[in-house]
C-alpha cells in the first residue's frame, strides 16, 4: 500500500509539472522597434533615374532590412541626375537636419568621369564629401558607407570601342574613392563589377538605355546588406 501511494503521488506531481510547462508561452525573438534613420547622398544612381521610387536602391535597402527585423525609416535622398562631387557639395553646404542620421551612404563620381573632370579635383571634393557625410552621421564614421561608381560603359551609350577606356577611367576614380575610405576607415563597397554584368543582360539596363534598371539596384542591395550587417548595423 505504501508503495502504491508513493507511485500515485509521483504521477500526480509529474502531471502537475507538465500542465505548468504547457502554460508557459512560447518564447519569440524580440522585435527591434528602434527605427534607424538613413540619408543617401549621390547622383542619378541614387535617385534612380528611369526607375520607380520603389526600385531605387536606398528604398529597396530600407524595405529589405525592415523585413529582416531591422527597422529603417523612409530614406532621405539628396541626389540629382548629372551631379558631380562639386554639385553635391553645394547642395549639402547649408543642409542642417534636425538630428544626425543613423546611417549615411555616398555614391558619387560618375559625372566627374563622364564630363572629363580631373581625378585630382575628384579626390579633393570626395574627401570633403566624406567629412560632410561623417558630420551628418553625428561625427561617427562607423555609420557611413560608400558605394563604388557603376560602369556606364556597358550601356548602349558607349560604343564597343570605348568600353575598355571607360572601364579604366572609372576604375581610376574608384581607386581614389577606395583609398580615401581606407585612410578614413570608412566602409567601401564595390558594386562596379556587378554593374558590368549588364553588358550581357539587357534587363539590367533602364529604358533610357543609359542608366541601370531596378533589377540592378536590387543586385547592389544584395551586395550592401551583408557588409553593413556586420559593421554599421551591429554598432
Amino acid at each position: 500500500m505504501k508503495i502504491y501511494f508513493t507511485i500515485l503521488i509521483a504521477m500526480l506531481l509529474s502531471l502537475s509539472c507538465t500542465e505548468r510547462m504547457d502554460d508557459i508561452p512560447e518564447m519569440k525573438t524580440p522585435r527591434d522597434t528602434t527605427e534607424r534613420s538613413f540619408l543617401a547622398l549621390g547622383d542619378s544612381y541614387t535617385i534612380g533615374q528611369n526607375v520607380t521610387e520603389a526600385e531605387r536602391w536606398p528604398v529597396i535597402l530600407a524595405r529589405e532590412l525592415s523585413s529582416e527585423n531591422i527597422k529603417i525609416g523612409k530614406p532621405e535622398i539628396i541626389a540629382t541626375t548629372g551631379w558631380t562631387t562639386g554639385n553635391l557639395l553645394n547642395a549639402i553646404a547649408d543642409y542642417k537636419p534636425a538630428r544626425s542620421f543613423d546611417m549615411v551612404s555616398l555614391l558619387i563620381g560618375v559625372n566627374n568621369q563622364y564630363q572629363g573632370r580631373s581625378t585630382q579635383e575628384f579626390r579633393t571634393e570626395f574627401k570633403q564629401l566624406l567629412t560632410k557625410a561623417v558630420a551628418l552621421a553625428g561625427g561617427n564614421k562607423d555609420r557611413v558607407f560608400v558605394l563604388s561608381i557603376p560602369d556606364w560603359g556597358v550601356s548602349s551609350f558607349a560604343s564597343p570601342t570605348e568600353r575598355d577606356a571607360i572601364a579604366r577611367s572609372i576604375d581610376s576614380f574608384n581607386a581614389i574613392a577606395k583609398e580615401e575610405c581606407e585612410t578614413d576607415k570608412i566602409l567601401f563597397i564595390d558594386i562596379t563589377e556587378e554593374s558590368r554584368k549588364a553588358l550581357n543582360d539587357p534587363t539590367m539596363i533602364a529604358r533610357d538605355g543609359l542608366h541601370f534598371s531596378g533589377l540592378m539596384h536590387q543586385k547592389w542591395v544584395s551586395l550592401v546588406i551583408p557588409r553593413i550587417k556586420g559593421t554599421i548595423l551591429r554598432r
Side-chain angles (χ1 to χ4, degrees), residues 3 12-13 29 42 56 76 78 81 120 125 139 212:
I3 294 173
L12 289 172
L13 285 173
T29 303
R56 297 170 178 171
E76 184 161 342
I78 301 178
T81 299
Q120 183 54 53
E125 293 178 345
F212 293 95

Side-chain angles (χ1 to χ4, degrees), residues 102-122:
D102 297 309
M103 194 163 64
V104 179
S105 68
L106 177 62
L107 168 50
I108 194 72
V110 69
N111 294 298
N112 292 68
Q113 186 277 330
Y114 184 80
Q115 295 175 19
R117 306 184 77 88
S118 73
T119 53
Q120 183 54 53
E121 176 190 68
F122 174 73

Side-chain angles (χ1 to χ4, degrees), residues 16-59:
S16 176
C17 288
T18 302
E19 288 174 346
R20 284 198 296 271
M21 288 297 292
D22 290 342
D23 291 339
I24 297 175
E26 180 184 354
M27 297 296 289
K28 296 182 179 179
T29 303
R31 181 165 181 80
D32 183 358
T33 57
T34 303
E35 184 176 271
R36 295 173 171 88
S37 54
F38 175 27
L39 172 66
L41 305 173
D43 49 38
S44 58
Y45 294 138
T46 295
I47 199 62
Q49 182 68 30
N50 281 105
V51 303
T52 66
E53 180 178 352
E55 293 175 312
R56 297 170 178 171
W57 77 259
V59 176

Side-chain angles (χ1 to χ4, degrees), residues 163-188:
R163 284 179 183 140
D164 287 345
I166 292 169
R168 287 193 298 271
S169 180
I170 286 175
D171 286 345
S172 68
F173 278 84
N174 278 328
I176 291 169
K178 183 178 182 180
E179 182 182 327
E180 294 301 330
C181 286
E182 288 176 347
T183 298
D184 284 354
K185 294 181 172 55
I186 289 173
L187 179 62
F188 180 84

Side-chain angles (χ1 to χ4, degrees), residues 39-107:
L39 172 66
L41 305 173
D43 49 38
S44 58
Y45 294 138
T46 295
I47 199 62
Q49 182 68 30
N50 281 105
V51 303
T52 66
E53 180 178 352
E55 293 175 312
R56 297 170 178 171
W57 77 259
V59 176
I60 297 172
L61 178 63
R63 184 170 63 241
E64 292 213 354
L65 287 174
S66 293
S67 73
E68 295 183 26
N69 199 24
I70 303 171
K71 195 170 182 183
I72 306 292
K74 182 179 180 180
E76 184 161 342
I77 299 176
I78 301 178
T80 295
T81 299
W83 271 3
T84 63
T85 47
N87 296 136
L88 181 54
L89 276 171
N90 290 335
I92 62 176
D94 299 318
Y95 177 60
K96 293 181 175 59
R99 60 184 292 274
S100 62
F101 291 88
D102 297 309
M103 194 163 64
V104 179
S105 68
L106 177 62
L107 168 50

